[in-house]
Amino acid sequence: QTVSLAKSFSAEHKEWNIRIIDLDENKGRAYAQNLVSKEATSDILVATDAETRFKPGMLKELIRPFYNPEVGVSGGVVIYQHDEKNEIGSSYSTYRSFERNLRNIESRLGILPKTDGPCTAYRKYVWENIEDFEDVDHVVPLIARKKGYITVQSESALCFDLANSSVKQDFRQRSRMTRKALLSLSNRWKWKDIVKYPYFSFALYSHRLIRFFSPVWLLLLCFSSVL
């Protein structure tokens, strides 16, 4: 009911000049994101998900880094909520805590290669049309870096989402994200980019390859230890 709820909200706040684009058919996230970049008139665009909930004041904190002209992308912090008795949700929250700390370090060093899709803001003129297999959180930091901008994480921009509650759900999400990340990487980041941005490339590849395939590395390590 995203469209009907948005229309109701727009009717109650006519002074905000809210424009709603309702597509007749589902053409995918990439199509919608490319369409937004053409239709929107704002200098800064924000990508999110329908089920994401923002902490009051989050948008102000998310766009605050853009006062720095070097910043092209700003990522907020998504807190994934879960039932305390659910081990899948609990383990994912632990993983997200590690990821948050890592992104803070990369942000301070100016080499942050990834944001969260439910909470990503970017300058409109940084955007380039993306392919069907790409997504904003994987792609826009790469585009921004090649255009001379950095990506930062805004620690005070908080929003909330639900953690996966089952192994099947988690596996499907991880598989989808890994596929998009690897395809985006091969499509957007070439050898010349690695040479030009070595530190950013290190953070990028350690995020995408070393981490995504960590279960494989662990299995190989165990196997070699047994041998």
Side-chain angles (χ1 to χ4, degrees), residues 13-225:
H13 301 277
K14 293 182 179 180
E15 72 280 6
W16 287 1
N17 191 28
I18 299 172
R19 182 183 174 197
I20 300 165
I21 301 176
D22 183 11
L23 301 177
D24 293 332
E25 61 178 306
N26 187 348
K27 297 183 178 181
R29 290 167 62 90
Y31 180 89
Q33 289 163 346
N34 289 332
L35 182 63
V36 164
S37 68
K38 296 183 180 71
E39 299 292 336
T41 58
S42 303
D43 294 329
I44 297 172
L45 307 182
V46 177
T48 186
D49 290 338
E51 68 272 17
T52 305
R53 299 291 179 264
F54 291 173
K55 181 180 179 179
M58 190 282 288
L59 282 175
K60 290 183 179 179
E61 297 301 321
L62 186 64
I63 67 171
R64 192 182 302 277
F66 291 108
Y67 284 110
N68 180 354
E70 294 182 354
V71 174
V73 184
S74 173
V77 175
V78 182
I79 298 175
Y80 287 88
Q81 299 172 317
H82 63 91
D83 185 341
E84 293 183 358
K85 297 181 180 180
N86 187 282
E87 294 183 0
I88 298 297
S90 179
S91 62
Y92 188 66
S93 294
T94 301
Y95 160 77
R96 292 294 307 186
S97 177
F98 169 79
E99 175 77 1
R100 180 177 179 178
N101 293 330
L102 177 62
R103 289 186 188 181
N104 272 332
I105 296 172
E106 292 172 336
S107 180
R108 290 196 294 268
L109 294 175
I111 58 173
L112 179 62
K114 175 76 168 64
T115 58
D116 283 325
C119 192
T120 297
Y122 53 93
R123 298 185 190 274
K124 180 182 176 181
Y125 55 79
V126 167
W127 184 260
E128 294 178 359
N129 279 354
I130 64 175
E131 303 292 341
D132 289 341
F133 55 81
E134 295 180 316
D135 214 338
V136 57
D137 52 332
H138 293 296
V139 173
V140 74
L142 308 187
I143 299 174
R145 178 66 280 189
K146 290 200 283 188
K147 291 186 176 182
Y149 296 96
I150 62 173
T151 298
V152 299
Q153 176 165 275
S154 177
E155 269 293 290
S156 52
L158 301 179
C159 59
F160 305 90
D161 212 328
L162 294 177
N164 294 329
S165 57
S166 68
V167 173
K168 182 179 180 180
Q169 184 185 26
D170 195 59
F171 179 79
R172 289 179 60 185
Q173 183 189 49
R174 293 296 116 201
S175 300
R176 184 176 67 252
M177 289 179 59
T178 300
R179 174 181 173 274
K180 284 189 173 185
L182 295 179
L183 289 174
S184 301
L185 182 60
S186 63
N187 184 49
R188 295 282 174 177
W189 209 250
K190 308 300 182 182
W191 281 108
K192 62 179 180 179
D193 302 312
I194 297 175
V195 173
K196 188 173 183 180
Y197 307 105
Y199 300 115
F200 181 88
S201 297
F202 172 78
L204 177 63
Y205 280 96
S206 63
H207 254 102
R208 304 291 173 85
L209 296 181
I210 298 176
R211 188 185 62 174
F212 281 164
F213 290 105
S214 57
V216 178
W217 310 139
L218 185 59
L219 286 173
L220 290 175
L221 178 62
C222 292
F223 182 69
S224 62
S225 298

